[in-house]
Amino acid sequence: MTKDTDTIHTIRWTDAGLELLDQRDLPREENYLLFADVTGVAGAIRDMVVRGAPAIGITAAYGLVLAARQHYAESPQDWRRRLDEDIGLLAAARPTAVNLVWALQRLQHRLAGITGDPAPVLLEEARAIHAEDIEANRRMGAHGAAVIDAGSSVLTYCNTGSLATGGYGTALGVIRSAWAAGKLQQVYASETRPWLQGARLTAWELVRDRIPVTLITDNAAGYLMQGRRVQWVITGADRVTANGDVINKIGTSSLAVNCRHYGVGFMVVAPCSTLDFSLDSGALVDIEQRADAEVLVLADRRIAAAGATAWNPAFDVTPAELVDCLVTEQGVIRAPDRAKLAVLEPGFGNSG
Ligand code: MRU
């Protein structure tokens, strides 16, 4: 086994439909669920069978292929209207990850001028989005790893690996690349309450790749940095706005504040499909609120005192000025701001 391996395929297109590795069951069980219709796919995104911004976008694209197949077979005259409804259904499944609407818009553009069966064209586009995402991740891995000094230790947050993308990962791709280059001494993963993407998913991916991983509780991060145990905190993003604000898993902004206080580098790794220049700043982003139960209940057991309620935003906004490095497939931008971002080709909105 080489150090640089990636054997996890969270999204698989087959003739029977879309297969998704059910991330709710990991790491205990590896179950693939088969989805043959778009309603099921929208539900899978909402219920976190699949999660992570790029993976959600790819899944939605394949979901629209399933919709096109069904609507064209059932109603060759009326498929466009029904497909539009399904675009709305998929787009609403999770509101914060911009890759979702970006992927759907890419497919929508391909529909212009189609007279016959739309499914083959949409499938071609969905496959392209999937392949391009893996390629972007590989590039970001190389760009980000180049910034890291040999002998460094890093902390990562949430899950940004093969499970969250088409393959390889964003922040975890940088960690994979840096590890393959022999640069990393230690990888820490933060548990990531309430859904435990770090403990369940990132740890699972790294252990599979034989990259040693040490878990910390989320509230240990500041102390880890105070002790100079890490040189970089590396995260992904669900959306980056025109001014460079980063919207990512709830808790990311606290990490960035700690990084600045303790002199630890804060690196954000996100493909251009995650850039949304139609929004001026993070304050304008629709932050997904999820069910209280995710906070109040753990492993099917209520842990919170009876009568307590919960506030459960899934994401937060890290101000651009706290980001030391933004890594995209186009390269590394240090101390990103509006002017520096303007050279990038965003998934949404216009550059410049
Ligand atoms: O709620 P999730 O698990 O979908 O949140 C995922 C994240 O916050 C990731 O950091 C982000 O999507 C980037 S993943 C490549």
Side-chain angles (χ1 to χ4, degrees), residues 23 45 48 50-56 94 97 99 133 137 140 157-166 169-172 192 195 197 201 235-239 247-250 252 269-271 274 288 290 294 314-315:
Q23 299 190 26
I45 294 172
M48 312 253 289
V50 62
R51 25 69 48 206
I56 292 171
R94 291 197 74 191
N99 302 63
D133 185 63
N137 290 337
M140 291 190 290
Y157 195 55
C158 196
N159 171 266
T160 62
S162 303
L163 292 168
T165 63
T170 56
L172 212 60
T192 319
W195 218 70
Q197 288 94 332
L201 309 178
T235 78
D238 272 65
R239 200 181 285 243
I247 292 78
N248 192 49
K249 179 52 52 194
I250 187 76
T252 302
V269 188
T274 301
E288 177 185 6
R290 294 190 62 87
E294 288 184 350
F315 301 97

Side-chain angles (χ1 to χ4, degrees), residues 192-308:
T192 319
R193 279 280 290 153
W195 218 70
L196 297 173
Q197 288 94 332
R200 298 191 306 104
L201 309 178
T202 298
W204 180 75
E205 286 201 36
L206 290 173
V207 168
R208 264 180 80 121
D209 273 11
R210 308 209 174 155
I211 300 176
V213 56
T214 302
L215 270 179
I216 61 165
T217 58
D218 299 330
N219 35 10
Y223 188 52
L224 185 87
M225 294 186 215
Q226 192 179 50
R228 300 287 184 264
R229 287 174 183 270
V230 287
Q231 284 66 52
W232 286 97
V233 170
I234 311 180
T235 78
D238 272 65
R239 200 181 285 243
V240 177
T241 53
N243 68 341
D245 286 353
V246 171
I247 292 78
N248 192 49
K249 179 52 52 194
I250 187 76
T252 302
S253 67
S254 310
L255 289 172
V257 169
N258 269 311
C259 279
R260 186 54 54 91
H261 184 77
Y262 290 117
V264 171
F266 184 70
M267 181 189 293
V268 174
V269 188
C272 290
S273 54
T274 301
L275 305 179
D276 178 3
F277 291 178
S278 74
L279 295 183
D280 197 53
S281 79
L284 300 170
V285 175
D286 183 7
I287 300 289
E288 177 185 6
Q289 292 284 333
R290 294 190 62 87
D292 291 17
E294 288 184 350
V295 176
L296 302 172
V297 177
L298 190 65
D300 296 329
R301 256 186 88 174
R302 178 156 179 129
I303 50 165

Side-chain angles (χ1 to χ4, degrees), residues 296-336:
L296 302 172
V297 177
L298 190 65
D300 296 329
R301 256 186 88 174
R302 178 156 179 129
I303 50 165
T309 57
W311 180 60
N312 186 18
F315 301 97
D316 66 18
V317 181
T318 300
E321 61 263 29
L322 294 180
V323 179
D324 293 303
C325 261
L326 174 68
V327 180
T328 73
E329 64 271 43
Q330 293 181 28
V332 176
I333 297 181
R334 288 186 187 263

